[in-house]
C-alpha cells in the first residue's frame, strides 16, 4: 500500500536523516569578536567548503574543454558554501555573523564591479568607434619587417595595458600579427608570447592595468603614485625575454595589405572622456577620500551624456540630408547602454564567485591559517615570489583575493612585490593569464601551450630579474 511503502522508505533512509541532523546540530567553535577569526578549519563544514571550492575551480581550469563558462561553477559554489554556513550557524544562534560577513564581501565586490563596468564600457565604446581597428590598419601600412613588428607590438602592448586591460590590448595586437604574419607560424608564435609578456608586465605598474593592481589600490594597501615605482622592474620583466627571443624572429619584410579604417564620429572625444574618467577616479580617491569607483561611475555618466549628444546630432544630420560620405566619419547613432551590455559579464560574475568563495574560506579560518604558515613560515619576500609562481598555474585573481583577505603585515615594498609577481607570474605559462588563454584561441594552431613553454626559461629569467631590480631599486620602500 502507499502508506506502507512510504513508511518503509522513511525507515530505510533513517540513518541518512539522523546523520544529516547530527551534522546540522554539531556545535560550532566559539565565535570571536571578529568573524574572520572563526575557526572551522577542523570542522566538517570547513572541509565541505574546501571541497566545494576545489571542485568548482577544477571546472574553471578545464573551461576550454567543457565549454562551461568560468563564472558558473564558482557562483554555484559561493551559494552552496554560504548557504551551508548559514544553515549550520543559524541553528547555533550565530546566523548574524554569517549575514555580516556576506555583507562585507558583497560590498568589496560591488566596488570592484562598478569600477570595472565603467572601464569595460569605455573600452567597448572605443572599439565600436573603430579606434583599435584604425590602430591595427595604421601599423599594417608601415611596411615594417618582422623584427621591427616584434618590438613595436610588444612596446605598444606594454604602453597600452596600464590604461586598458591586458586582455583587450593583447587581442588588438594579436590581430596585427595574424594579418602580417599569415603563413609564418614561427613569427606569430613568438609575437604572441612577446605580447602576452609585455601586456602583463605593463599592467603591473598601474592601478588600472590589471585586476590585481586595482584590488590592491582600492584596498588602500598602496597609494596611487606608489605603483609607478614598479615601472622599471616591469620594463625589465618584458625586455629580458624579448631580447632573448628576438634572435629567433625570422628576418624579412611581410607583404602587408593596404587596409584603411576610418574612425567613427566622436572617437576622439570618447578617448578624452576616458582620460578624464581616470583623472576623476584618482581625484575622488586621493583628494576626497572616496572610493575610486565613484569617479569611474561619474565618468560613465559623462560618456552616456555624450552618447545622447551623438544620437541627437546623428538624427539632425540625417534630416539635413547628409549621408555617411557627406562628413568625416559615420553618422550612426551611438548607444552607450549597448556598450554597457557588451561588458564581459562572464568575467565580472567570475569575480563575484571568487570573492565570495575565498571570503567563505576566510570566514572558516583557512586564510588565517594559510597566512600563518605561508608568510609566517617563509617570510614575506619568499611567500610573495611563490604567489607569482602559483599564479602561472592558478589564476592571479583568486591568489590576490586570498592575499588581501589574509592581510599579512607587510610594508609598501612587499605589497608592491606581491602585486608585481601576481601580475607577471602568469606569463610563465600560456594558461597563466587571461591574455595568454585568449591568444591561444585567437591564433589557434600557431600560438600554443607548448610553443609558449619553449620560452618559459627566458620569461623566468625576466621574472627573476624584475624581482631583483625591485628589491634593489625600491629598497627604501622596505622596512629595515
Amino acid at each position: 500500500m502507499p502508506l506502507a511503502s512510504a513508511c518503509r522508505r522513511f525507515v530505510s533512509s533513517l540513518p541518512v536523516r539522523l546523520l544529516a541532523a547530527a551534522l546540522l546540530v554539531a556545535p560550532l567553535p566559539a565565535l570571536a569578536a571578529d568573524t574572520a577569526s572563526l575557526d572551522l578549519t577542523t570542522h566538517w563544514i570547513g572541509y565541505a567548503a574546501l571541497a566545494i571550492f576545489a571542485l568548482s575551480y577544477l571546472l574553471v581550469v578545464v573551461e576550454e574543454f567543457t565549454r562551461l563558462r568560468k563564472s558558473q561553477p564558482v557562483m554555484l559554489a559561493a551559494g552552496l558554501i554560504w548557504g551551508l554556513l548559514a544553515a549550520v550557524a543559524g541553528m547555533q544562534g550565530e546566523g548574524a555573523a554569517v549575514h555580516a560577513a556576506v555583507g562585507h564581501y558583497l560590498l568589496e565586490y560591488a566596488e570592484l564591479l562598478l569600477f570595472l563596468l565603467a572601464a569595460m564600457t569605455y573600452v567597448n565604446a572605443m572599439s565600436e568607434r573603430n579606434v583599435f581597428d584604425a590602430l591595427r590598419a595604421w601599423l599594417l601600412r608601415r611596411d615594417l619587417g618582422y623584427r621591427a613588428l616584434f618590438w613595436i607590438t610588444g612596446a605598444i602592448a606594454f604602453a597600452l595595458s596600464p590604461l586598458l586591460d591586458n586582455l583587450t590590448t593583447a587581442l588588438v595586437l594579436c590581430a596585427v600579427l595574424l594579418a602580417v604574419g599569415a603563413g609564418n607560424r614561427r613569427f606569430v608564435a613568438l609575437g604572441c608570447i612577446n605580447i602576452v609578456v609585455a601586456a602583463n608586465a605593463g599592467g603591473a605598474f598601474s592601478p588600472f592595468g590589471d585586476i590585481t593592481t586595482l584590488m590592491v589600490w582600492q584596498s588602500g594597501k598602496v597609494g596611487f603614485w606608489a605603483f609607478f615605482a614598479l615601472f622599471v622592474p616591469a620594463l625589465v620583466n618584458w625586455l629580458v625575454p624579448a631580447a632573448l627571443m628576438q634572435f629567433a624572429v625570422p628576418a624579412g619584410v611581410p607583404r602587408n595589405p593596404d587596409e584603411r579604417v576610418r574612425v567613427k564620429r566622436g572617437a576622439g572625444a570618447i578617448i578624452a572622456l576616458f582620460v578624464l574618467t581616470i583623472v576623476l577616479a584618482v581625484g575622488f580617491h586621493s583628494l576626497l577620500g572616496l572610493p575610486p569607483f565613484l569617479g569611474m561611475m561619474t565618468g560613465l555618466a559623462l560618456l552616456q551624456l555624450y552618447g545622447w549628444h551623438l544620437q541627437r546630432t546623428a538624427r539632425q544630420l540625417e534630416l539635413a540630408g547628409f549621408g555617411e560620405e557627406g562628413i568625416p566619419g559615420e553618422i550612426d547613432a551611438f548607444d552607450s547602454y549597448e556598450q554597457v551590455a557588451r561588458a564581459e559579464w562572464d568575467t565580472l560574475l567570475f569575480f563575484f564567485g571568487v570573492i565570495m568563495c575565498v571570503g567563505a574560506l576566510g570566514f572558516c579560518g583557512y586564510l588565517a591559517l594559510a597566512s600563518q604558515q605561508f608568510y609566517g613560515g617563509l617570510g614575506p619576500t619568499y611567500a610573495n615570489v611563490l604567489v607569482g609562481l602559483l599564479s602561472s598555474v592558478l589564476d592571479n585573481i583568486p591568489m590576490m583575493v586570498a592575499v588581501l583577505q589574509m592581510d599579512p603585515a607587510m610594508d609598501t615594498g612587499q605589497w608592491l612585490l606581491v602585486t608585481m609577481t601576481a601580475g607577471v607570474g602568469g606569463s610563465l605559462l600560456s594558461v597563466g593569464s587571461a591574455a595568454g588563454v585568449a591568444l591561444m584561441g585567437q591564433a589557434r594552431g600557431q600560438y600554443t601551450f607548448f610553443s609558449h613553454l619553449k620560452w618559459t626559461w627566458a620569461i623566468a629569467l625576466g621574472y627573476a630579474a624584475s624581482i631583483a631590480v625591485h628589491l634593489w631599486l625600491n629598497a627604501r620602500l622596505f622596512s629595515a
Side-chain angles (χ1 to χ4, degrees):
M1 291 188 297
L3 182 59
S5 177
C7 290
R8 283 195 298 271
R9 284 197 299 269
F10 178 82
V11 172
S12 63
S13 65
L14 191 58
V16 176
R17 294 170 183 267
L18 291 175
L19 176 59
L23 290 175
L24 286 174
V25 300
L28 292 174
L31 186 67
D34 184 0
T35 58
S37 64
L38 182 62
D39 186 8
L40 298 174
T41 54
T42 57
H43 195 276
W44 73 267
I45 194 173
Y47 296 142
L50 277 177
I52 293 171
F53 180 64
L55 178 59
S56 70
Y57 203 78
L58 178 62
L59 292 174
V60 171
V61 172
V62 297
E63 174 190 13
E64 184 179 355
F65 305 102
T66 63
R67 304 299 180 189
L68 185 69
R69 295 293 188 93
K70 62 179 177 290
S71 61
Q72 295 166 352
V74 290
M75 287 175 63
L76 179 60
L80 291 175
I81 293 172
W82 280 109
L84 200 57
L85 285 171
V88 176
M91 297 189 70
Q92 300 295 314
E94 301 291 356
V98 176
H99 185 273
V102 169
H104 169 77
Y105 296 121
L106 181 61
L107 178 61
E108 183 180 319
Y109 169 70
E111 292 188 9
L112 182 63
L113 168 69
L114 294 175
F115 189 103
L116 290 175
L117 184 62
M120 287 179 174
T121 302
Y122 263 104
V123 171
N124 290 338
M126 288 187 284
S127 176
E128 191 273 341
R129 296 284 100 178
N130 289 343
V131 172
F132 302 129
D133 287 339
L135 172 63
R136 176 178 56 83
W138 180 82
L139 281 173
L140 293 177
R141 296 196 306 270
R142 298 302 97 186
D143 291 327
L144 301 169
Y146 285 119
R147 289 186 179 175
L149 281 167
F150 174 85
W151 280 106
I152 289 174
T153 53
I156 293 176
F158 185 84
L160 281 182
S161 46
L163 291 175
L164 306 177
D165 63 284
N166 56 359
L167 177 58
T168 301
T169 300
L171 288 173
V172 169
L173 294 170
C174 182
V176 177
L177 292 181
L178 293 175
V180 301
N184 196 325
R185 181 171 178 170
R186 183 171 61 160
F187 168 70
V188 172
L190 289 168
C192 285
I193 298 169
N194 187 41
I195 287 171
V196 169
V197 175
N200 289 338
F205 70 88
S206 164
F208 302 96
D210 193 83
I211 303 301
T212 54
T213 58
L214 176 60
M215 288 190 294
V216 172
W217 178 44
Q218 289 203 138
S219 68
K221 302 299 182 184
V222 178
F224 179 83
W225 301 108
F227 281 98
F228 296 97
L230 291 175
F231 174 78
V232 174
L235 185 63
V236 169
N237 182 270
W238 165 55
L239 287 178
V240 169
L244 294 170
M245 286 190 294
Q246 71 160 339
F247 297 107
V249 176
V253 178
R255 184 176 179 179
N256 299 329
D258 186 17
E259 182 184 4
R260 296 182 182 275
V261 176
R262 175 184 291 173
V263 295
K264 296 181 181 180
R265 188 170 57 98
I270 290 175
I271 294 173
L273 284 174
F274 182 49
V275 175
L276 175 61
T277 298
I278 292 174
V279 173
L280 286 173
V282 176
F284 271 54
H285 186 64
S286 302
L287 302 179
L288 303 177
L290 293 170
F293 80 88
L294 280 172
M296 294 297 291
M297 293 302 290
T298 304
L300 179 59
L302 294 176
L303 175 64
Q304 292 177 328
L305 287 172
Y306 184 66
W308 169 79
H309 166 73
L310 288 178
Q311 287 181 324
R312 284 177 57 87
T313 52
R315 287 194 292 269
Q316 292 169 1
L317 289 169
E318 288 171 359
L319 291 173
F322 288 94
E324 292 188 356
E325 301 298 328
I327 62 169
E330 297 182 11
I331 310 182
D332 59 329
F334 174 82
D335 187 351
S336 61
Y337 289 96
E338 184 178 307
Q339 310 314 315
V340 173
R342 289 176 54 214
E344 185 54 51
W345 285 99
D346 181 44
T347 299
L348 294 174
L349 294 175
F350 171 71
F351 296 154
F352 166 79
V354 167
I355 288 175
M356 297 305 290
C357 283
V358 175
L361 297 182
F363 182 81
C364 293
Y366 285 111
L367 295 185
L369 179 63
S371 179
Q372 179 183 355
Q373 298 296 324
F374 208 51
Y375 284 91
L378 294 175
T381 300
Y382 289 110
N384 290 334
V385 171
L386 188 56
V387 165
L389 296 176
L390 289 174
S391 69
S392 66
V393 180
L394 303 174
D395 194 272
N396 62 348
I397 294 168
M399 293 298 300
M400 183 54 73
V401 170
V403 171
L404 286 171
Q405 293 187 12
M406 289 179 195
D407 197 18
M410 298 195 297
D411 51 40
T412 301
Q414 292 292 351
W415 277 111
L416 286 175
L417 177 61
V418 73
T419 299
M420 182 180 71
T421 56
V424 304
S427 301
L428 292 166
L429 297 175
S430 62
V431 296
S433 67
V437 172
L439 263 58
M440 281 195 298
Q442 191 176 13
R444 189 178 302 276
Q446 300 179 79
Y447 170 59
T448 64
F449 176 85
F450 291 103
S451 66
H452 191 109
L453 190 63
K454 290 179 183 177
W455 292 95
T456 293
W457 64 271
I459 301 168
L461 287 176
Y463 180 76
S466 63
I467 293 170
V469 169
H470 172 60
L471 294 175
W472 169 69
L473 191 64
N474 299 319
R476 68 189 186 283
L477 300 176
F478 294 86
S479 58

